[in-house]
């Protein structure tokens, strides 16, 4: 009997179910007798022995279903070594559950923080396989994560819908896209949606440069401007502050500005005299069915993960390199983020078509 545990950790996204399906179908098609245990609500299920033994039928009809049938939760990596409210050692509890169920392998579907914990468990002696999930596409070591392209579709659609009302009312519209630390989602959605200005965390902005870009469009007879703004966008002034100083400033502004987009909108109204509106698609970007690209990618990633399990190649993260699915060590990715390079060809090409990043 090959016993495999499976959990989904961190924020939900499209294609979690599709990826689990890819793993399960590939394992069931092997010549081994397989038992898959699904842990409920991420690492919490592994800690507190909350699980259910899955059946092959559980993995049927879920290719197009968003969310995760196992549920998920956020368990910050920095707190993994701290006891819970009852004094329980979380890492030892997870190891105990793994051994109690006589698992041969644990499959972790998650992003950066989740894979750091996966690497920790691997270093503690458990057999672990990681699968790269996040709408942010910021997991180091893979060119693409499942969930990203589906989120791009939704964010792009939001920008598309804003185009008509922005043109009708001759307004400046800000569409706030998810992404606290990296700007991949905002950059791709901004490009695909025809945004005039894109603001991402990796390129601190100058509000006066943004105002100049809006005024230039007006001078050219263009009646509206659309900004795609990452929720983690930051001004050059704020980027120069220490973490403590920045936190203090944001707490001070929290009542006035729900997010950075509202602050940018308020200042731009004063700088340009133009009416500015803010749209926040929010968690819709995580929801709904995965698009065809993510369904295909999820199936491929899941199948490769199953192959690693059958070959007993553990401590690996399944990744996409170019068009090929392969794998790297969990330790190679753990603790690192994949940022947008401000000097990359992608950013340069966006500048060539006239998109401003608010920095020059």
């Amino acid at each position: 009997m090959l016993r495999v545990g499976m959990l989904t950790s961190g924020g939900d996204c499209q294609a979690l179910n599709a990826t689990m399906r890819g793993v399960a179908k590939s394992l069931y098609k092997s010549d081994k007798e397989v038992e898959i245990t699904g842990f409920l609500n991420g690492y919490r299920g592994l800690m507190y022995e909350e699980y259910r033994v899955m059946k092959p039928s559980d993995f049927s009809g879920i290719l197009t279903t968003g969310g995760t049938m196992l549920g998920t939760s956020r368990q910050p990596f920095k707190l993994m070594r701290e006891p819970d409210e009852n004094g329980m050692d979380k890492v030892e509890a997870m190891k105990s559950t793994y051994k109690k169920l006589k698992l041969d392998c644990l499959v972790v579907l998650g992003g950066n923080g989740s894979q750091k914990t996966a690497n920790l468990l691997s270093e503690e002696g458990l057999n672990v396989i990681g699968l790269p999930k996040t709408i942010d596409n910021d997991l180091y070591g893979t060119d693409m994560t499942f969930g990203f392209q589906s989120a791009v579709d939704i964010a792009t659609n939001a920008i598309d819908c804003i185009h008509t009302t922005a043109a009708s009312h001759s307004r400046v519209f800000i569409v706030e896209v998810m992404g606290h630390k990296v700007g991949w989602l905002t950059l791709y959605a901004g490009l695909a949606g025809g945004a005039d200005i894109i603001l991402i965390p990796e390129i601190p902005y100058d509000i006066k440069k943004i105002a100049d870009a809006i005024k230039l469009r007006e001078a050219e007879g263009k009646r509206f401007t659309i900004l795609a703004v990452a929720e983690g966008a930051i001004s050059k002034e704020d980027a120069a502050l220490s973490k403590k100083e920045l936190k203090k400033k944001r707490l001070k502004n929290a009542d006035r500005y729900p997010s950075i987009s509202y602050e940018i909108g308020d200042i731009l109204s004063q700088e340009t005299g133009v009416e500015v509106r803010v749209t926040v698609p929010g968690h819709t970007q995580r929801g709904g069915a995965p698009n065809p690209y993510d369904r295909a990618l999820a199936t491929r990633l899941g199948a490769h993960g199953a192959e690693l399990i059958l070959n007993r190649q553990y401590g690996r993260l399944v990744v996409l390199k170019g068009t090929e699915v392969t794998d790297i060590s969990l330790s190679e990715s753990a603790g690192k983020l994949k940022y947008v390079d401000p000097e990359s060809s992608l950013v340069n090409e966006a500048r060539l078509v006239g998109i401003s990043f608010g920095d020059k």
Side-chain angles (χ1 to χ4, degrees), residues 90-105:
K90 298 171 187 173
V91 175
E92 288 302 316
M94 290 190 285
K95 289 164 60 179
S96 175
T97 301
Y98 178 99
K99 292 172 183 175
K100 181 178 178 179
L101 296 177
K102 299 180 180 178
L103 297 180
D104 294 292
C105 178

Side-chain angles (χ1 to χ4, degrees), residues 257-268:
Y257 302 122
S259 68
I260 189 63
S261 293
Y262 289 93
E263 180 179 349
I264 292 170
D266 187 24
I267 299 172
L268 283 178

Side-chain angles (χ1 to χ4, degrees), residues 36-305:
I36 298 176
T37 298
F39 292 99
L40 308 180
N41 302 316
Y43 283 113
R44 181 179 178 82
L46 186 60
M47 292 175 194
Y48 298 104
E49 298 186 26
E50 299 168 355
Y51 60 86
R52 62 187 177 100
V53 177
M54 312 293 285
K55 299 175 291 185
S57 59
D58 290 324
F59 298 96
S60 295
I62 62 171
L63 179 64
T64 62
T65 306
T68 164
M69 63 179 173
L70 293 179
T72 186
S73 65
R74 295 186 186 276
Q75 302 292 326
F77 175 77
K78 63 183 179 181
L79 300 179
M80 277 297 174
R81 288 294 188 183
E82 295 185 13
D84 74 355
E85 60 272 15
N86 298 314
M88 183 189 75
D89 186 317
K90 298 171 187 173
V91 175
E92 288 302 316
M94 290 190 285
K95 289 164 60 179
S96 175
T97 301
Y98 178 99
K99 292 172 183 175
K100 181 178 178 179
L101 296 177
K102 299 180 180 178
L103 297 180
D104 294 292
C105 178
L106 175 68
V107 178
V108 175
L109 293 82
N112 180 262
S114 301
Q115 298 304 340
K116 280 198 286 186
T117 299
N119 183 57
L120 168 63
L121 293 176
S122 178
E123 291 175 341
E124 288 287 323
L126 304 190
N127 298 329
V128 184
I129 296 295
L131 290 165
K133 172 234 72 173
T134 171
I135 66 168
D136 295 320
N137 197 36
D138 63 354
L139 191 59
Y140 185 87
T142 183
D143 291 344
M144 195 65 64
T145 56
F146 65 83
F148 173 68
Q149 290 292 346
S150 296
V152 169
D153 283 1
I154 295 167
T156 300
N157 183 63
I159 297 172
D160 289 346
C161 291
I162 288 301
H163 262 283
T164 54
T165 188
S168 298
H169 292 277
S170 302
R171 286 176 177 159
V172 172
F173 263 91
I174 295 174
V175 180
E176 184 176 287
V177 181
M178 281 185 160
H180 279 293
K181 295 181 179 179
V182 301
W184 292 108
L185 183 53
T186 306
L187 180 54
Y188 271 79
L191 277 168
D196 308 296
I197 298 167
I198 297 175
L199 304 182
I200 60 176
E202 294 90 339
I203 306 177
Y205 64 82
D206 180 335
I207 197 71
K208 292 192 179 296
K209 298 294 184 184
I210 300 172
D212 288 344
I214 293 171
K215 291 173 184 176
L216 178 60
R217 283 180 57 79
E218 287 180 343
E220 293 173 343
K222 295 168 182 174
R223 301 173 60 240
F224 66 92
T225 300
I226 293 178
L227 290 79
V229 176
E231 58 187 339
I234 188 168
S235 68
K236 290 183 177 180
E237 292 80 9
D238 285 355
L241 299 175
S242 66
K243 286 185 178 180
K244 186 176 181 180
E245 291 171 330
L246 182 59
K247 184 177 181 180
K248 183 178 180 181
K249 179 181 176 182
R250 287 178 173 172
L251 284 173
K252 183 180 178 181
N253 290 341
D255 291 337
R256 187 177 180 189
Y257 302 122
S259 68
I260 189 63
S261 293
Y262 289 93
E263 180 179 349
I264 292 170
D266 187 24
I267 299 172
L268 283 178
S269 291
Q270 298 172 40
E271 290 281 339
T272 64
V274 176
E275 195 173 6
V276 180
R277 290 286 185 271
V278 177
T279 296
V280 184
H283 285 78
T284 62
Q285 293 162 89
R286 293 187 179 280
N291 69 8
Y293 177 91
D294 272 338
R295 296 176 202 176
L297 177 62
T299 303
R300 295 180 65 199
L301 294 171
H304 189 87

Side-chain angles (χ1 to χ4, degrees), residues 311-327:
N311 291 332
R312 296 182 176 145
Q313 294 175 273
Y314 304 121
R316 311 296 292 176
L317 174 68
V318 181
V319 298
L320 182 72
K321 295 285 190 181
T323 59
E324 296 301 312
V325 172
T326 182
D327 53 272

